[in-house]
Amino acid sequence: MTRLSLFNSPLLLGFDQFERTLDRISKNSAEGYPPYNIEQVGGNGLRITLAVAGFSRETLEVQTEDRQLVIRGRQEEDQARVYLHRGIAARQFQRSFVLAEGIEVAGATLDNGLLCIDLIRPTVETKVRTIEIGSGTGRNAALQLKSAGTREDAEADAAEGLGKRR
């Protein structure tokens, strides 16, 4: 079965990274354990809360790896206990969350079977940049401008190139 790409349009250049991230997210969303909530805290904070009943601080691990938040839990089987019914899962897990650029992990707490991980989202500054439109011979002048060290050097090179052609 062929997968339809959301970013297949020629107008969307450079979005390959987003497509790979969406693929990774869709693979991780198939896992259902442990259940979690994501909530907004304050103006620029996020909190991920995972239900990890039966786990202690020693059996949980929270790491950031390559712009991913990875939470791992491992429980060892207690051989001294004999269960007549076992409804609480005692299994290892790994849950991953893709972090946007600039998001930092502020801390993690474990309280009453809930692991809370606080994240800080940086405030985004809007940047406006005006691109000067120069005159030249099209693509050749643009390549010279790009490869030149300074704007003055590029303008001089472009003017010199125009002079040679006349």
Side-chain angles (χ1 to χ4, degrees):
M1 181 171 153
T2 306
R3 190 174 79 72
L4 179 64
S5 173
L6 297 173
F7 302 103
N8 204 16
S9 171
L11 301 175
L12 299 173
L13 299 174
F15 285 88
D16 300 339
Q17 177 71 25
F18 291 116
E19 191 169 11
R20 285 192 295 272
T21 301
L22 286 174
D23 286 343
R24 209 172 355 165
I25 290 170
S26 66
K27 289 177 186 173
N28 285 339
S29 65
E31 305 166 3
Y33 182 76
Y36 66 92
N37 293 334
I38 301 176
E39 60 185 297
Q40 185 167 354
V41 180
N44 63 344
L46 298 170
R47 177 174 291 149
I48 300 173
T49 304
L50 289 94
V52 291
F55 287 87
S56 65
R57 286 188 354 216
E58 293 78 27
T59 59
L60 292 170
E61 183 178 272
V62 179
Q63 293 181 330
T64 54
E65 301 172 0
D66 211 16
R67 285 193 10 202
Q68 276 194 351
L69 174 65
V70 180
I71 300 107
R72 293 181 182 93
R74 62 181 181 347
Q75 281 188 333
E76 295 178 8
E77 190 78 25
D78 188 3
Q79 301 297 332
R81 293 185 176 184
V82 177
Y83 293 98
L84 300 177
H85 170 76
R86 188 158 192 176
I88 300 173
R91 59 182 175 190
Q92 295 184 8
F93 72 88
Q94 177 174 321
R95 172 72 73 174
S96 299
F97 298 92
V98 178
L99 299 177
E101 188 73 32
I103 289 193
E104 297 178 12
V105 178
T109 58
L110 180 64
D111 187 30
N112 293 327
L114 296 175
L115 175 63
C116 297
I117 302 167
D118 293 319
L119 307 171
I120 297 174
R121 180 177 36 190
T123 56
V124 178
E125 297 177 14
T126 305
K127 295 180 182 180
V128 177
R129 183 175 147 220
T130 304
I131 309 300
E132 186 177 326
I133 301 172
S135 61
T137 59
R139 185 170 179 221
N140 231 0
L143 289 175
Q144 288 177 354
L145 285 173
K146 185 176 180 181
S147 65
T150 65
R151 183 177 166 188
E152 292 80 19
D153 293 340
E155 289 172 353
D157 290 345
E160 186 178 311
L162 290 175
K164 289 179 182 177
R165 291 187 187 140
R166 291 185 183 165

